[in-house]
Amino acid sequence: MPTEKGLPIKYPMITSLPAFANMTAILSTQEDVFFPWFCHNHVQLVAWETPEVYIQFYTPVFREYYRLFELHHYHKKVLVKWCDDITQFIIDAIDEENYVYLSIDQYYIAAYDNFGKVHAPHDMLIYGYNKENQMFYVADFFNSKYSFSTASFDSVNEAFVSPHSEGEWFRGVQLLQFNERKSEFKLDLGYLIKQLHDYINETKSSNDYKLVEEPGKDTDAWGIGVYRFLREHITETALFEFSLIRSLHLLFDHKEVMLRSLVYLDEKKYITRLDIHEKAYREIKQLCLILRNWCIKHSMSETTNDIVKIVELIEKMEKQERSAVQELLSDLEEVRLTYL
């Protein structure tokens, strides 16, 4: 039996939320299927208030189904009855090529800011181990930035069995293994065009998956409608809390996704005007960065003039992206009609 093992992983292109960062970090090691998956799974956006602000990539059956993985989900109550210490369970899972995605209490993991200070549930990815050092290789947002670190066997067990380990959005343990039978996943140009139309038309994409999950509230914002959602939230509440800043970082990630996808589409000859599309999305991405920084600054100063500037910037971003998506759709549809 090996004394050390690490499953393939790369630093992710998306670093706004753990679920998206972790899946990207794993699947980016599967070069043949990564970009088709990447393009299709990060087009549509959805936004809502709880009253916290959430903007995220729309993924059907979020956290319950992964298109390119075989998934086994174990409830915490079941696992703790099977074994007093989950260390060997995790090692065995990794030996069988499974990434271990589990809910833990940050209080016990030294890499977190909350270590030894605050009991806080979070989802953490384990992708390897070293028996000699009694350490797991882990990934998450340590010190407020997605990164790779280590955690001792004992600390992971304590963090898992803690009564504070499970939050609202993720519970228990998921074993994720790349599904070789789905390795022929290809980009579907017609479906990508539909996704972009859904984005620009603010289509409630969850209605397409009503048989497997509830579509969500009619008050949710979809696609390019997230800009209007942001304007209304900022104007009506004037709250610049952490959840808003996090959502703006995801909006920034969305533009990075579009830029990476454009390069892939150009390589596959699905678009003919890469320079035009890249220029447009680079400008929008830069505006996203400016918006996020202005909002961070405003959270410290809170002047009325800042809100006016921020709302005007969001309006500018929406206008530019609407034009950029229309230009991209025109290019994709011309290629489909002419060459495919």
Side-chain angles (χ1 to χ4, degrees):
M1 298 296 290
T3 59
E4 181 180 17
K5 182 167 184 175
L7 298 176
I9 197 163
K10 290 183 178 180
Y11 195 82
M13 300 176 188
I14 296 173
T15 58
S16 44
L17 288 174
F20 301 115
N22 288 326
M23 295 309 104
T24 306
I26 297 170
L27 286 176
S28 59
T29 66
Q30 304 290 335
E31 295 183 1
D32 291 342
V33 297
F34 173 68
F35 272 104
W37 170 85
F38 188 68
C39 294
H40 278 305
N41 280 270
H42 301 92
V43 174
Q44 184 62 302
L45 294 175
V46 59
W48 69 93
E49 292 176 310
T50 64
E52 282 192 321
V53 177
Y54 284 90
I55 299 177
Q56 68 179 41
F57 299 104
Y58 173 64
T59 305
V61 203
F62 185 53
R63 290 186 183 272
E64 296 179 30
Y65 174 77
Y66 302 94
R67 176 68 173 80
L68 296 175
F69 289 110
E70 290 183 7
L71 165 68
H72 297 281
H73 197 156
Y74 297 87
H75 294 287
K76 176 182 174 180
K77 288 182 179 179
V78 174
L79 271 182
V80 296
K81 287 180 179 179
W82 283 356
C83 46
D84 295 331
D85 188 318
I86 65 163
T87 298
Q88 193 58 48
F89 173 85
I90 296 172
I91 290 173
D92 291 343
I94 292 170
D95 283 341
E96 295 299 323
E97 308 301 319
N98 292 283
Y99 296 83
V100 182
Y101 198 21
L102 76 169
S103 55
I104 53 88
D105 181 354
Q106 294 179 337
Y107 182 90
Y108 296 98
I109 306 295
Y112 286 109
D113 290 339
N114 285 332
F115 174 60
K117 302 174 185 175
V118 180
H119 291 283
H122 212 258
D123 40 315
M124 184 175 75
L125 180 70
I126 301 179
Y127 62 92
Y129 63 81
N130 185 313
K131 289 182 181 178
E132 184 176 343
N133 296 330
Q134 297 281 291
M135 289 286 185
F136 286 119
Y137 302 136
V138 297
D140 197 6
F141 285 79
F142 304 122
N143 298 315
S144 302
K145 180 181 180 182
Y146 189 87
S147 53
F148 305 119
S149 188
T150 58
S152 72
F153 290 172
D154 288 344
S155 68
V156 169
N157 187 65
E158 284 186 288
F160 178 70
V161 301
S162 166
H164 307 286
S165 66
E166 297 192 312
E168 180 182 0
W169 299 106
F170 189 84
R171 298 179 180 184
V173 177
Q174 290 183 347
L175 303 186
L176 300 171
Q177 184 177 111
F178 181 69
N179 191 337
E180 294 291 348
R181 291 173 295 176
K182 296 183 179 181
S183 61
E184 295 183 0
F185 183 82
K186 305 294 183 185
L187 185 109
D188 184 327
L189 182 58
Y191 188 62
L192 179 62
I193 289 172
K194 176 188 181 303
Q195 288 180 296
L196 287 166
H197 276 294
D198 287 350
Y199 180 82
I200 200 169
N201 292 324
E202 303 180 32
T203 302
K204 187 177 180 180
S205 299
S206 58
N207 282 335
D208 292 341
Y209 301 92
K210 191 170 185 177
L211 291 178
V212 292
E213 68 174 352
E214 285 301 311
K217 298 178 182 178
D218 290 335
T219 53
D220 294 347
W222 290 87
I224 206 162
V226 301
Y227 290 110
R228 183 178 63 256
F229 167 87
L230 282 173
R231 290 198 305 272
E232 291 174 354
H233 174 80
I234 290 170
T235 302
E236 293 171 8
T237 70
L239 295 175
F240 288 73
E241 65 274 37
F242 169 75
S243 64
L244 174 63
I245 306 303
R246 176 185 58 199
S247 293
L248 294 178
H249 184 62
L250 188 138
L251 197 62
F252 175 85
D253 269 352
H254 182 260
K255 311 318 162 196
E256 178 65 21
V257 168
M258 294 302 293
L259 283 165
R260 303 265 187 157
S261 298
L262 287 170
V263 174
Y264 175 76
L265 292 171
D266 181 66
E267 289 174 354
K268 297 299 179 182
K269 310 300 184 186
Y270 287 137
I271 56 175
T272 61
R273 303 191 286 272
L274 176 63
D275 291 348
I276 293 174
H277 305 314
E278 276 195 321
K279 181 176 184 294
Y281 266 100
R282 282 199 190 100
E283 290 178 0
I284 299 166
K285 178 183 171 183
Q286 182 62 27
L287 292 177
C288 282
L289 184 61
I290 293 170
L291 174 63
R292 187 190 67 185
N293 292 342
W294 278 5
C295 288
I296 292 172
K297 180 181 178 182
H298 176 79
S299 67
M300 301 173 183
S301 61
E302 298 186 354
T303 65
T304 305
N305 289 340
D306 285 344
I307 293 180
V308 173
K309 286 170 53 181
I310 287 167
V311 169
E312 289 176 350
L313 179 58
I314 295 171
E315 289 174 345
K316 179 179 180 180
M317 291 166 61
E318 178 181 357
K319 181 179 179 181
Q320 289 191 206
E321 185 160 24
R322 190 176 295 278
S323 175
V325 174
Q326 289 170 338
E327 180 71 28
L328 177 58
L329 276 167
S330 173
D331 197 359
L332 290 168
E333 288 170 340
E334 285 177 16
V335 169
R336 183 172 63 163
L337 290 173
T338 306
Y339 300 106
L340 302 177

